Amino acid sequence: MHEVRVPLNAVKLGLTSVADIIDASSSNVTVNDVSKNNYDDDEEYNLKKKEKNEIIETLRYVDGAIDGMAETLNDVLSFAAIEEGRFRLNCSQFNVNKLLKNAQATHLPTAEEKQISIEVHIDERLQSLILYGDHRRIANCIGNFCSNALKFSTSGGQVLLHASLYDNVQDSDCLNFPPSSTISSSVPETKDCDIIGNNRDDDDDDHSKKRAIGLKIEVRDNGCGIDFNDQRTLFQPFSQIRPGELQQGRGSGLGLAISKESIERHGGSIGLESTPGVGSTFFIHVPLAIISENIDNASSQSLNNETNSQSSSLKIQDEKNHHTRKALVVDDVFSNRRLFRRQIERLGFSVTEAEDGITAIEKCGYSVTDDDYTNKNSQYDVIFMDSVMPRMSGPEATSILRHRGCKTILIAVTGNALEEDVRSFLEAGANEVLTKPVSKSKLQLCLQRFNII
């Protein structure tokens, strides 16, 4: 699907750029500037402003349609992987607090548009825990819950994301443990898990020291509720409730079925409680291994398979207000590269471009052929790396950069969204993997997560 995502990404970035330009030009023009802009009177000025607003609104609608198209594409690929037996978990370390806060931030624009409050409540015992699981799959599940809650809620409604613990969880209930030795307050090195159960070693002498908790996440709403007959089929493939009225042509009907598969692969369960006219609560119960009981002890290298040190991240945070931040955008497609550059520049970055992996390595100051173990860092605050490129691919270039000692935050931006594609980038040393098309909000959230903006 790389051939579909790449042009789709250019369309999305282009629409966003045009909307931003028009929006900026509109905000910079006041009634006092009418004569400067050759407007004959206030009525003509107001007409021009109305036309600009309509153009911006149209672009936003198209942008939303692209998001829906990309979401459907992701669902179809994931469901195909399930049907063909290729569905895998990519397990890494994560914090529930960050996971739910990201979900809240992602859905906040929709909530504000519908005048619905969206809040996060987290059990204090979970606040600082570092857990082990496929946080992307869990996040997608929570995202589906949030989307449904907002669909079923009306103006003035409330959506609550609540995380807590459930009891009677044994280590044997947890199907995924890190392949390292002992889990303690120090964070061990981890690798992505391949399939369920392959990280378990019943003969491991340290196995008794491994601990699991029961994570319960609920998304509650006080919307219209769901009829009992609909509840029975909700987690089946292609199941939709009142598609014409609530879905408005969007959605594949696969999201909850994929979420069910993801949670059950963790050894957990998924479900809902709903009363028509009162509201609904979607929930998951997931047994997960505890990596650390103190988030302060977990280096940024361990979180989400990141390879940068915590000191490097703190250095960026401390210095970002004292110099122009620098970004390297690596993509072989000129239009994608140029449009992505404009988005990054609007966030305050000085941007350098590279058209392939070899050029990227050289622009970072490293040699492609000669080993360089000086452990120096590149001049950039962040690197955005495409996947499929001539001369050298993104994962290969990423691996070489890490091997040379580069600790710069590296975000993969790829048109290949299959599990094996994501895993190859993470194993090479990418801090995060974003799939095309990349929205402005998703990009900003990612940069904020790494304290770059």
Side-chain angles (χ1 to χ4, degrees):
M1 292 299 178
H2 179 268
E3 292 75 11
V4 176
R5 292 182 182 276
V6 171
L8 198 61
N9 189 58
V11 173
K12 183 170 182 63
L13 290 174
L15 286 171
T16 304
S17 295
V18 172
D20 287 345
I21 292 171
I22 296 175
D23 195 20
S25 64
S26 298
S27 61
N28 290 333
V29 177
T30 65
V31 175
N32 294 328
D33 296 323
V34 170
S35 60
K36 297 179 182 178
N37 289 279
N38 299 319
Y39 297 132
D40 293 332
D41 50 34
D42 290 356
E43 183 178 353
E44 184 180 357
Y45 163 76
N46 290 329
L47 180 61
K48 293 293 184 181
K49 188 172 182 179
K50 180 182 178 182
E51 290 175 351
K52 285 185 176 181
N53 289 337
E54 289 177 349
I55 293 173
I56 293 173
E57 184 180 37
T58 301
L59 292 173
R60 301 299 187 204
Y61 288 149
V62 176
D63 186 64
I66 292 174
D67 286 340
M69 183 177 176
E71 182 181 334
T72 299
L73 183 61
N74 288 336
D75 287 347
V76 170
L77 289 174
S78 294
F79 186 71
I82 293 173
E83 292 285 281
E84 296 170 9
R86 296 184 292 103
F87 191 85
R88 300 290 185 270
L89 297 182
N90 287 320
C91 295
S92 59
Q93 303 175 37
F94 71 98
N95 174 254
V96 177
N97 187 34
K98 290 185 177 182
L99 186 144
L100 292 192
K101 291 292 186 181
N102 284 342
Q104 180 189 37
T106 300
H107 292 86
L108 189 59
T110 302
E112 290 178 341
E113 182 181 354
K114 296 188 66 175
Q115 296 182 323
I116 298 171
S117 68
I118 180 167
E119 299 180 0
V120 173
H121 292 171
I122 300 176
D123 189 311
E124 61 180 12
R125 294 173 294 176
L126 283 167
Q127 292 280 353
S128 61
L129 289 183
I130 304 300
L131 305 175
Y132 187 76
D134 192 333
H135 70 92
R136 289 179 180 81
R137 290 294 183 187
I138 296 175
N140 287 340
C141 178
I142 302 307
N144 281 318
F145 289 173
C146 290
S147 295
N148 285 333
L150 293 172
K151 287 177 186 177
F152 285 91
S153 299
T154 57
S155 177
Q158 296 177 331
V159 174
L160 173 65
L161 283 66
H162 184 265
S164 59
L165 297 171
Y166 66 90
D167 299 327
N168 301 321
V169 176
Q170 305 297 324
D171 280 0
S172 57
D173 298 327
C174 185
L175 298 184
N176 296 282
F177 275 117
S180 305
S181 55
T182 306
I183 295 178
S184 64
S185 59
S186 61
V187 182
E189 179 184 2
T190 65
K191 302 291 183 182
D192 291 334
C193 62
D194 185 9
I195 57 175
I196 290 301
N198 76 331
N199 287 327
R200 294 294 303 274
D201 186 357
D202 293 334
D203 296 328
D204 188 351
D205 293 336
D206 292 323
H207 184 266
S208 61
K209 298 179 182 179
K210 297 179 179 179
R211 291 180 296 136
I213 63 157
L215 173 64
K216 180 179 182 180
I217 298 180
E218 300 172 299
V219 177
R220 307 169 187 166
D221 68 71
N222 59 354
C224 62
I226 303 172
D227 183 81
F228 178 74
N229 290 330
D230 290 327
Q231 293 181 37
R232 296 169 59 184
T233 61
L234 199 55
F235 293 96
Q236 296 178 6
F238 305 106
S239 175
Q240 289 183 318
I241 298 173
R242 292 150 60 188
E245 179 182 350
L246 290 174
Q247 307 296 337
Q248 297 181 345
R250 295 190 62 173
S252 61
L254 294 171
L256 290 178
I258 296 168
S259 296
K260 182 174 183 291
E261 182 75 17
S262 300
I263 298 305
E264 290 180 350
R265 289 287 183 110
H266 281 88
S269 60
I270 189 172
L272 80 153
E273 298 172 353
S274 185
T275 302
V278 178
S280 304
T281 297
F282 285 80
F283 62 86
I284 57 172
H285 291 179
V286 192
L288 297 170
I290 301 175
I291 300 299
S292 172
E293 294 183 355
N294 188 348
I295 193 172
D296 294 330
N297 291 336
S299 69
S300 54
Q301 177 178 0
S302 66
L303 287 176
N304 300 315
N305 215 24
E306 296 163 10
T307 57
N308 59 298
S309 66
Q310 189 173 19
S311 60
S312 174
S313 178
L314 291 174
K315 182 179 179 181
I316 292 173
Q317 173 70 18
D318 183 54
E319 294 181 353
K320 67 180 182 180
N321 294 323
H322 301 285
H323 74 287
T324 301
R325 289 159 293 172
K326 297 180 180 180
L328 176 64
V329 174
V330 189
D331 198 309
D332 64 311
V333 179
F334 177 81
S335 58
N336 273 291
R337 193 168 66 242
R338 186 53 50 88
L339 291 169
F340 199 82
R341 172 180 185 151
R342 291 173 182 169
Q343 287 290 344
I344 300 300
E345 286 177 336
R346 289 193 181 93
L347 296 175
F349 286 84
S350 171
V351 180
T352 302
E353 299 180 22
E355 65 273 13
D356 55 57
I358 291 177
T359 306
I361 293 171
E362 293 172 345
K363 286 185 179 292
C364 287
Y366 299 97
S367 170
V368 177
T369 56
D370 299 328
D371 286 339
D372 181 2
Y373 300 102
T374 58
N375 207 38
K376 63 183 179 182
N377 210 359
S378 74
Q379 61 176 309
Y380 304 105
D381 297 291
V382 60
I383 300 170
F384 296 96
M385 184 75 71
D386 188 25
S387 179
V388 180
M389 296 182 289
R391 297 212 298 166
M392 181 179 289
S393 70
E396 186 178 357
T398 299
S399 179
I400 291 176
L401 284 171
R402 294 312 190 201
H403 185 66
R404 298 290 188 266
C406 178
K407 294 181 174 63
T408 302
I409 299 292
L410 194 149
I411 300 171
V413 184
T414 175
N416 293 332
L418 296 176
E419 298 297 328
E420 51 266 33
D421 300 315
V422 174
R423 183 182 295 115
S424 68
F425 248 128
L426 293 175
E427 290 179 343
N431 298 89
E432 183 59 277
V433 181
L434 301 180
T435 55
K436 297 175 181 178
V438 179
S439 66
K440 183 178 179 181
S441 59
K442 184 190 295 185
L443 178 62
Q444 288 177 312
L445 283 173
C446 184
L447 292 172
Q448 289 169 357
R449 176 170 155 250
F450 291 109
N451 295 320
I452 301 175
I453 61 174

